[in-house]
Amino acid sequence: MATKYFTTPIYYVNDRPHIGHAYTSLATDVMARWARLSGEEVFFLTGTDEHGQKVEKAAQDAGMDPQGFTDRVSQHFRDLAATMGFSNDDFIRTTEPRHKAACQALWEELVRRDEIYLGHYEGWYAVRDEAFYGPDETEERDGKRFAPTGAPVEWVREPSYFFRLSKWGPWLLDFYRENPDFIAPASRRNEVMRFVEGGLQDLSISRTSFTWGIPVPGDPAHVMYVWLDALTNYITAAGYPDTSAERWRFWPADVHVVGKDIVRFHAIYWPAFLQAAGLAPPRRVFAHGWWTNEGQKISKSLGNVIDPVTLVEEYGLDPVRYFLLREVPFGSDGDFSRLALIGRLNGELADTLGNLANRTLSLIQRNCGGALPAAAEAAEGDAELISGLGSLPARVGGHLARQEFHLALEAILAEARAANGYITLQAPWALKKTDPVRMAVVLRHLHTALRVFATVLQPFMPGTMAAMLDQLGVPAEGRGLDALAVPLPEGTALPPPAPLFRKVEA
Ligand code: MSP
């Protein structure tokens, strides 16, 4: 069986989860669900990033010890996964023993291969980004220094171990050229390539000025740099260092889904660490854009943080899942607006999809006694609809393989609009008296259309599409992509339909 491994970033536990975290994990969840629907064996990983200065400081501010603090905040991310319906197969925390063991094993392997040396770091560090910045990368404003991300930087001077990143530059450039799909979208790929072409410095990979981290083997005065620790989570969960572990067959990861803010760590440091340790680099890193709220940057100080739990309470889980992936091309920045959300829910879910289901299923109930009409050949007038439906799953799959969620949904919606045009044109309600045989054929084609839509939409709206498939009389074993080739038997009893989507007042 083909395997697929998808990951989200592991989230810092300095604060409660917000819409940005939900968005990254949602996209990953849809890919994982689609792969399962295609019959692939999937490992979907998410989790929390619990070490480092930023988390240590957040714990101090909360007046708690770091472990107690991370236990508490990490739970919020687990709760979010449940609220959002994420189908992750594992949830990793970097404070777990399995992760400490993996990080230390990776470190020792890098030492064995002479990829690490002891030196001294002197330079800028931004705790908010947990990142080192070069002298010409920072900027002074009002007597304070800032990173290009806007994070304040501080001057750090301490003994440090270094990873020989500089020597991996040429290899990385070859790797990007040989694997043009490794970084997406293309704008991010160019950005990364320009950065590597500019020359890489060796990377400081340990800290001595605080203790909340994984001790460096043999030199516990040092804790590992939090990004080396964090990135390693992707192999920890696959069983590393035990490369005979059952889970190891999932490595290398198929897609690391990340926000655009952390693409450098994933597309430069991570493949270099892995290659240096003799491990395969991941196949792809996809960097999505950032959400603003009604045109404004989302920030705690502006008080406009969007809580995904509140949104779900207000609009329902599946409408929110749909909207987040429908509204904005994955990879671009997007604006969250309630009006846009309501417009899509009413226009696309309730009016287009919901209405089609309701009209079709009510007619089958009323005019056919709730028994599914026989499958029929496509006659003139049906052919266009039927051929569009036939190619839809492959088109959706193609879009999802490129993380084009909005195009996948647009393709489904275009077919749903076509089916609405078809029902209006064929007017099966009028055929009951004039041509009941043709009426049955039309209703069966519409049923087929709904089955295709519900099947391919399952990854996006699992709960609502399960209800729709129930109403369509599709048994549990008939819900995979392959099962679409097997028509439901004539006479299948359909339960009375109920509305799948409700309209929302603007
Ligand atoms: N801990 C690191 C990742 C380590 S992965 C080995 C980290 N964590 S984070 O909690 O700060 O955020 C991670 C991700 O949250 C970002 O990459 C991005 O995917 C998502 N987002 C945070 N704010 C966001 C928006 N406003 N909009 C969209 N996504 C954003 O970085």
Side-chain angles (χ1 to χ4, degrees), residues 48 67 100 132 135 175 189 230 263 285 290 324 373 397 407-408 481:
T48 44
Q67 189 61 57
K100 182 176 168 190
F132 301 95
F175 176 70
R189 174 181 151 81
V263 66
V285 173
W290 274 51
L324 289 176
L407 294 182
L481 293 179

Side-chain angles (χ1 to χ4, degrees), residues 8-12 14 18-21 23-24 49 54 227 230-231 233-234 258-262 266 288-291 298:
T8 76
I10 48 171
Y11 303 107
Y12 286 128
N14 60 311
H18 64 66
I19 195 78
H21 309 123
Y23 181 57
T24 313
D49 187 355
K54 171 165 161 150
W227 270 101
L231 289 161
N233 93 87
Y234 301 130
V258 300
K260 65 178 183 179
D261 50 322
I262 56 174
H266 284 81
H288 67 69
W290 274 51
W291 285 93
I298 297 178

Side-chain angles (χ1 to χ4, degrees), residues 194-273:
R194 293 303 85 79
F195 187 81
V196 177
E197 280 162 1
L200 296 172
Q201 306 282 318
D202 286 350
L203 180 71
S204 164
I205 52 165
S206 76
R207 304 288 313 271
T208 44
S209 49
F210 64 94
T211 54
W212 183 238
I214 297 178
V216 165
D219 194 352
H222 292 248
V223 294
M224 290 183 202
Y225 173 41
V226 67
W227 270 101
L228 172 60
D229 165 343
L231 289 161
T232 303
N233 93 87
Y234 301 130
I235 54 173
T236 301
Y240 189 80
D242 179 7
T243 53
S244 65
E246 242 219 286
R247 283 239 184 110
W248 190 252
R249 71 190 190 284
F250 289 105
W251 189 259
D254 290 273
V255 189
H256 289 317
V257 181
V258 300
K260 65 178 183 179
D261 50 322
I262 56 174
V263 66
R264 273 188 199 178
F265 302 94
H266 284 81
I268 300 175
Y269 302 169
W270 183 225
F273 291 154

Side-chain angles (χ1 to χ4, degrees), residues 132-333:
F132 301 95
Y133 288 100
D136 35 304
E137 280 186 293
T138 63
E139 197 182 72
E140 194 166 313
R141 277 195 309 271
D142 307 328
K144 284 194 188 135
R145 278 217 162 253
F146 296 92
T149 55
V153 292
E154 59 193 44
W155 189 255
V156 167
R157 202 173 173 277
E158 59 191 34
S160 174
Y161 285 93
F162 285 82
F163 170 70
R164 299 188 193 279
L165 182 63
S166 57
K167 79 172 213 209
W168 290 100
W171 175 83
L172 281 166
L173 289 171
D174 282 346
F175 176 70
Y176 303 146
R177 287 189 196 109
E178 280 159 26
N179 300 278
D181 296 326
F182 174 66
I183 313 170
S187 54
R188 300 288 160 220
R189 174 181 151 81
N190 292 335
E191 182 187 298
V192 166
M193 288 189 70
R194 293 303 85 79
F195 187 81
V196 177
E197 280 162 1
L200 296 172
Q201 306 282 318
D202 286 350
L203 180 71
S204 164
I205 52 165
S206 76
R207 304 288 313 271
T208 44
S209 49
F210 64 94
T211 54
W212 183 238
I214 297 178
V216 165
D219 194 352
H222 292 248
V223 294
M224 290 183 202
Y225 173 41
V226 67
W227 270 101
L228 172 60
D229 165 343
L231 289 161
T232 303
N233 93 87
Y234 301 130
I235 54 173
T236 301
Y240 189 80
D242 179 7
T243 53
S244 65
E246 242 219 286
R247 283 239 184 110
W248 190 252
R249 71 190 190 284
F250 289 105
W251 189 259
D254 290 273
V255 189
H256 289 317
V257 181
V258 300
K260 65 178 183 179
D261 50 322
I262 56 174
V263 66
R264 273 188 199 178
F265 302 94
H266 284 81
I268 300 175
Y269 302 169
W270 183 225
F273 291 154
L274 288 165
Q275 182 69 16
L279 298 168
R283 296 190 202 282
R284 185 167 165 91
V285 173
F286 191 101
H288 67 69
W290 274 51
W291 285 93
T292 50
N293 184 0
E294 311 282 351
Q296 272 195 318
K297 187 178 153 52
I298 297 178
S299 86
K300 254 205 302 195
S301 50
L302 288 173
N304 65 348
V305 175
I306 303 170
D307 178 0
V309 178
T310 314
L311 268 191
V312 167
E313 277 165 9
E314 218 170 318
Y315 300 101
L317 173 58
D318 285 343
V320 169
R321 288 177 58 114
Y322 176 84
F323 173 75
L324 289 176
L325 294 177
R326 170 77 180 103
E327 179 70 0
V328 179
F330 204 58
S332 308
D333 291 337

Side-chain angles (χ1 to χ4, degrees), residues 217-495:
D219 194 352
H222 292 248
V223 294
M224 290 183 202
Y225 173 41
V226 67
W227 270 101
L228 172 60
D229 165 343
L231 289 161
T232 303
N233 93 87
Y234 301 130
I235 54 173
T236 301
Y240 189 80
D242 179 7
T243 53
S244 65
E246 242 219 286
R247 283 239 184 110
W248 190 252
R249 71 190 190 284
F250 289 105
W251 189 259
D254 290 273
V255 189
H256 289 317
V257 181
V258 300
K260 65 178 183 179
D261 50 322
I262 56 174
V263 66
R264 273 188 199 178
F265 302 94
H266 284 81
I268 300 175
Y269 302 169
W270 183 225
F273 291 154
L274 288 165
Q275 182 69 16
L279 298 168
R283 296 190 202 282
R284 185 167 165 91
V285 173
F286 191 101
H288 67 69
W290 274 51
W291 285 93
T292 50
N293 184 0
E294 311 282 351
Q296 272 195 318
K297 187 178 153 52
I298 297 178
S299 86
K300 254 205 302 195
S301 50
L302 288 173
N304 65 348
V305 175
I306 303 170
D307 178 0
V309 178
T310 314
L311 268 191
V312 167
E313 277 165 9
E314 218 170 318
Y315 300 101
L317 173 58
D318 285 343
V320 169
R321 288 177 58 114
Y322 176 84
F323 173 75
L324 289 176
L325 294 177
R326 170 77 180 103
E327 179 70 0
V328 179
F330 204 58
S332 308
D333 291 337
D335 185 44
F336 183 89
S337 117
R338 276 176 195 259
L339 224 53
L341 170 75
I342 292 169
R344 297 230 184 248
L345 304 194
N346 289 347
E348 297 179 357
L349 294 183
D351 289 345
T352 305
L353 203 60
N355 209 8
L356 180 71
N358 223 294
R359 287 205 281 177
T360 303
L361 293 172
S362 305
L363 282 169
I364 296 178
Q365 210 53 233
R366 222 175 318 132
N367 295 356
C368 313
L372 182 66
E377 291 297 309
E380 217 190 301
D382 309 330
E384 208 181 309
L385 177 71
I386 299 302
S387 89
L389 293 173
S391 63
L392 186 61
R395 284 183 284 140
V396 171
H399 287 308
L400 293 184
R402 297 184 293 273
Q403 289 78 45
E404 297 163 345
F405 300 96
H406 71 298
L407 294 182
L409 289 171
E410 179 52 45
I412 300 167
L413 210 70
E415 294 303 329
R417 290 197 193 99
N420 272 306
Y422 175 85
I423 196 171
T424 306
L425 197 71
Q426 301 293 329
W429 43 85
L431 290 169
K432 182 167 188 201
K433 290 216 178 82
T434 56
D435 189 349
V437 176
R438 176 66 189 157
M439 179 199 72
V441 170
V442 168
L443 289 178
R444 177 64 196 232
H445 287 323
L446 285 163
H447 181 279
T448 301
L450 290 169
R451 181 182 178 192
V452 173
F453 302 150
T455 301
V456 298
L457 282 170
Q458 287 174 99
F460 294 89
M461 298 185 281
T464 314
M465 291 306 111
M468 186 155 159
L469 289 163
D470 288 344
Q471 294 188 24
L472 291 166
V474 182
E477 65 280 8
R479 297 181 180 192
L481 293 179
D482 279 354
L484 285 174
V486 188
L488 287 192
E490 174 185 1
T492 299
L494 309 191

